[in-house]
Amino acid sequence: REVADALLRAYRDGARALWLGGGEPTLRRDMLATVSAARRIGYTRVKLQTNGMMLAYPKLVARCVEAGVTEVAFAIKGATADTHDRFTQTPGAHALLLDAMAAVRAAGLAMEGDVLVYRDTAKELPAIVEAYTARGVGQWRVWLLTARDDPEAAAQVPRIADVMPHLSAAMALGLSTRPDFITSLHTQPCTVPARDRACLFFARDLSMRIVNPGGHAFMLEDSPMEGGRYLPGCGECAFRARCGGIREDYLARFGGEEFTPVAVEASREL
């Protein structure tokens, strides 16, 4: 009932796309019923964000298509089985991921890739994008690990300045003509070279409402995961009106030295 109420409320407010994430949504017994309900209500797009392991079973993929899933976003941790399995902490996860990609591609569903970047995996970004684009992934989102809710993960939180050369290299592969082929979350505009600003992401532009179990709902731009803190110089930045600021946990770990306001002249190409 809670899920149905959330779907109806959002639809009445203008939502037409549903993004099911988690956690792992394929482990929910009501996942297919939720997809079917959304499509009956009138949602035109239903994205399933998943580690892919359950979708290694073609019968489940067929049921997803029947229920109304339109696209699948795979959580990818590395370019190789060694890296992916190590960071998922699940031996054999990579093999299941590849089977799932083949099944989803055969079913005709659009495929996306979500890469959670760790300090030790940043260098694999170009190889990740190249390897899985060849398997049918048509769009990428790059997320930076946060230790906000997991202090033990702090050692693997990457510094933006260390990630950016690898992100630039991935974009330079030229594997797609679409401007949003690679979108980078949690990398503020002032940390991205001008030539790579096609990857910029502004949470407010997405108009996304997040609904968690228990009925807690909020707009994406209000999440502490998307920023929230502005430095003294941010008021002078050409992107101030769109940028969500910097995450508190990031500033606590790395400080704010790498954040420099962008002059209006330098942002005119956007």
Side-chain angles (χ1 to χ4, degrees):
R1 187 71 257 169
E2 180 185 348
V3 172
D5 287 346
L7 290 174
L8 284 167
R9 191 179 309 114
Y11 186 84
R12 289 166 181 159
D13 289 342
R16 295 297 180 269
L18 173 65
W19 182 340
L20 295 174
E24 177 51 48
T26 60
L27 297 180
R28 285 186 63 110
R29 294 184 178 182
D30 63 353
M31 187 265 290
L32 293 173
T34 298
V35 175
S36 297
R39 296 288 276 174
R40 286 196 303 272
I41 290 170
Y43 286 81
T44 57
R45 294 175 56 195
V46 177
K47 179 186 300 183
L48 183 62
Q49 186 182 40
T50 174
N51 61 31
M53 289 192 285
M54 291 294 291
L55 297 187
Y57 300 96
K59 287 185 179 180
L60 179 56
V61 175
R63 293 181 66 192
C64 287
V65 173
E66 182 181 2
V69 172
T70 57
E71 51 216 270
V72 176
F74 289 103
I76 300 170
K77 298 295 181 70
T80 66
D82 177 67
T83 305
H84 184 81
D85 289 1
R86 178 157 56 94
F87 281 93
T88 58
Q89 301 181 37
T90 308
H94 184 260
L96 291 172
L97 172 67
L98 297 187
D99 287 345
M101 286 185 169
V104 168
R105 188 174 189 179
L109 297 179
M111 291 199 299
E112 301 176 357
D114 286 307
V115 184
L116 180 60
V117 179
Y118 298 77
R119 186 194 64 189
D120 289 352
T121 62
K123 60 183 179 295
E124 290 193 24
L125 260 177
I128 290 172
V129 171
E130 186 169 29
Y132 298 101
T133 298
R135 292 182 176 274
V137 174
Q139 189 174 5
W140 291 90
R141 279 177 300 275
V142 177
W143 312 64
L144 300 191
L145 178 71
T146 175
R148 181 174 175 270
D149 298 318
D150 183 10
E152 293 183 4
Q156 278 294 335
V157 174
R159 190 168 179 264
I160 296 173
D162 296 333
V163 173
M164 198 51 60
H166 306 296
L167 180 62
S168 294
M171 297 184 70
L173 292 172
L175 298 176
S176 174
T177 58
R178 58 185 296 172
D180 61 346
F181 176 60
I182 299 178
T183 299
S184 181
L185 290 74
H186 316 136
T187 47
Q188 284 67 28
C190 61
T191 66
V192 178
R195 67 179 182 277
D196 296 325
R197 286 187 181 142
C199 79
L200 290 182
F201 169 82
F202 299 100
R204 188 171 284 104
D205 293 352
L206 206 56
S207 298
M208 177 181 284
R209 178 187 295 169
I210 311 295
V211 182
N212 288 333
H216 178 52
F218 55 93
M219 297 304 292
L220 179 63
E221 60 267 26
D222 296 328
S223 167
M225 293 290 292
E226 299 304 323
R229 170 91 173 272
Y230 296 97
L231 301 179
C234 289
E236 305 169 12
C237 184
F239 291 99
R240 174 60 178 83
R242 300 177 72 192
C243 178
I246 309 158
R247 294 188 331 217
E248 290 283 2
D249 64 288
Y250 187 91
L251 288 172
R253 181 164 181 79
F254 296 110
E257 290 77 12
E258 61 189 310
F259 302 99
T260 304
V262 177
V264 174
E265 294 76 12
S267 67
R268 280 181 177 164
E269 70 273 15
L270 294 181

